[in-house]
Amino acid sequence: MGKRVALVLAGCGVFDGSEIHEASAALVHLSRGGAEVKIFAPNIEQRDVVDHLKGSPAEEKRNVLVESARLARGSIQDLAELKAGEFDAVIFPGGFGVAKNLCSWAVDGKNCTVNEHVNATLQAFHSAKKPIGLCCISPVLAAKVFPGCEVTVGQDKNVDGRFPDAETASAIAELGCKHVCKNVNESHVDKANKIVTTCAFMCKAPLHEIFDGIGTMVQEVLKLA
C-alpha cells in the first residue's frame, strides 16, 4: 500500500499563493512514488492579492482555501481538519503565499508568526516522528517552528546571480538553525528531525532542474515515511 501524504497549499499563484509548478511537481513525483495524497489549505483570507500579469497589488480579497482548490481540482480540505494520525508524511510546496499566508515571513522575516493550523500540523507530524518535506521558501516554516533543525534554501551567497534570495540562509541561521548549501537538483535530509528540504525556485534555474530537485525531496520523504 502506498504512503499517505498530506500536501499543504497556500493559495494559487507564485506571488500570493502556492507556486503552481512546485505544487504540480510534488504531486507528479508523489504519484510516481505510489503515494495516496490528500490536499489541504487554511480557510483564511489571503494577506494580499497580486495581479500576476502586471505584478502589482489588486484591490480585491481572496480566500486561501478557495484559491488552493484550483490547484487541487476541487478536491481539498480545510487544514484545520488534518489529522496527522491519518498520514505518513506532510509536504509544503513554496510560493510567496507560504511567506504571506502560512506565516508572516514576507513582512516580518525571522520575527514572523506562523499560522496556528500550520504550526499545529508541523508540530503534530514532528512529534509523531513523521517526515516533513518543504521546498522553496517553505523551509523557513521549519526554521521558525523547530529551532536547531537543518534546512536548505539553496546557497548562502548569490552564486552567479542564480540565488537572489541568498540572505534567507542568514536569517535561518539567526533563528538557531543550520543552513546547508545545496544545488537546485539536490535536497537535504535532517535525519534527526525527519525534515527534507530543497530550494526549487529560490534558484534561477531551468524548470526541469527544479522539477528534479523536488523529485529528490519527495523520494527522501517517502523513504522516511
Side-chain angles (χ1 to χ4, degrees):
M1 186 175 175
K3 303 296 184 182
R4 302 163 300 168
V5 180
L7 187 83
V8 181
L9 298 179
C12 181
V14 58
F15 299 130
D16 58 14
S18 288
E19 212 297 320
I20 294 170
H21 296 296
E22 291 180 16
S24 179
L27 287 166
V28 170
H29 287 295
L30 285 165
S31 175
R32 183 170 287 150
E36 177 187 336
V37 182
K38 288 190 178 178
I39 304 175
F40 297 84
N43 186 10
I44 57 174
E45 189 177 292
Q46 291 186 187
R47 177 176 289 273
D48 63 5
V49 177
V50 177
D51 181 327
H52 280 57
L53 179 61
K54 297 177 181 176
S56 58
E59 295 301 319
E60 59 181 285
K61 296 186 183 301
R62 297 192 183 188
N63 178 280
V64 175
L65 179 59
V66 172
E67 290 301 297
S68 298
R70 295 173 179 270
L71 280 169
R73 296 174 62 87
S75 182
I76 193 167
Q77 293 173 261
D78 186 340
L79 183 61
E81 299 172 4
L82 194 162
K83 295 179 177 63
E86 297 177 355
F87 294 91
D88 302 304
V90 64
I91 288 178
F92 290 77
F96 278 102
V98 172
K100 291 178 175 182
N101 305 325
L102 302 192
C103 71
S104 63
W105 187 277
V107 177
D108 303 317
K110 69 181 192 306
N111 298 315
C112 72
T113 56
V114 178
N115 170 273
E116 61 175 317
H117 297 302
V118 173
N119 184 68
T121 297
L122 290 166
Q123 294 282 9
F125 277 84
H126 188 259
S127 295
K129 294 181 167 42
K130 293 180 177 181
I132 300 167
L134 310 110
C135 63
C136 193
I137 190 63
S138 65
V140 301
L141 295 172
K144 186 65 182 181
V145 176
F146 307 118
C149 73
E150 299 177 0
V151 298
T152 188
V153 288
Q155 300 292 322
D156 56 10
K157 295 182 177 60
N158 189 9
V159 181
D160 299 326
R162 298 177 77 222
F163 295 89
D165 301 303
E167 70 277 0
T168 304
S170 299
I172 286 169
E174 288 172 18
L175 285 170
C177 298
K178 180 180 179 181
H179 179 267
V180 181
C181 292
K182 290 284 183 177
N183 291 321
V184 66
N185 59 348
E186 299 175 314
S187 56
H188 176 70
V189 181
D190 177 347
K191 293 180 181 176
N193 289 293
K194 290 195 171 182
I195 295 171
V196 188
T197 50
T198 189
C199 68
F201 277 100
M202 294 292 274
C203 176
K204 288 185 174 180
L207 183 57
H208 70 277
E209 292 184 10
I210 291 164
F211 183 89
D212 291 347
I214 293 171
T216 67
M217 181 266 286
V218 169
Q219 288 163 19
E220 294 296 341
V221 166
L222 293 178
K223 280 182 195 174
L224 290 171

